[in-house]
Amino acid sequence: MSIKVLIADDNQLFREILSRLFTDSTNIEIVAQAEDGVEVLDKVVQSKPDIVLMDIAMPCLNGIDTTQELTRKYPDIRTIALTSYCDKAYIKGMFEAGAWGYLLKNCSYDQLVEAILQVYNGKKYTCY
């Protein structure tokens, strides 16, 4: 059984590249992509992800507000911030909204995989 992941980022190329990185993975499956928070909330109903990789700066509904809404509506879905923002206010905002992890986009593939595995197994993960 693989870990189902939804990628939320307003940059289409970033989403596609990230998705392709997991093509050959046996334990992580990308089940959906979304370009903003509104689309995330729509797509979680159909794709039923275990984890959402969430950018913070997105149009329509940002990552912090989307994480808060996901935590309220779907407490079993765990969110990991995957962003370029290292500002303490964003980090605090994401964790207060219910995120389980926080990574910068300059992390390595191995760090991202580790974050997904740790969060899936109920542990918090930070790398910034």
Side-chain angles (χ1 to χ4, degrees), residues 8 21 23 29 49 51-52 62 65 68 81 91 99 103 106 124 128:
L21 282 172
T23 300
E29 175 188 4
I51 292 181
V52 175
N62 68 48
D65 293 340
Q68 188 172 33
I91 297 166
L103 284 99
N106 66 357
K124 300 275 184 172
Y128 47 87

Side-chain angles (χ1 to χ4, degrees), residues 24-62:
D24 295 329
S25 177
T26 57
N27 58 347
I28 298 171
E29 175 188 4
I30 305 302
V31 293
Q33 298 179 30
E35 67 180 340
D36 61 50
V38 173
E39 192 175 8
V40 169
L41 296 174
D42 287 341
K43 289 197 172 181
V44 295
V45 175
Q46 303 146 1
S47 61
K48 299 182 181 7
D50 300 303
I51 292 181
V52 175
L53 297 177
M54 184 80 69
D55 190 19
I56 292 176
M58 295 186 295
C60 299
L61 191 61
N62 68 48

Side-chain angles (χ1 to χ4, degrees), residues 113-124:
V113 169
E114 182 65 20
I116 292 169
L117 295 173
Q118 291 289 327
V119 167
Y120 181 77
N121 288 310
K123 297 177 184 167
K124 300 275 184 172

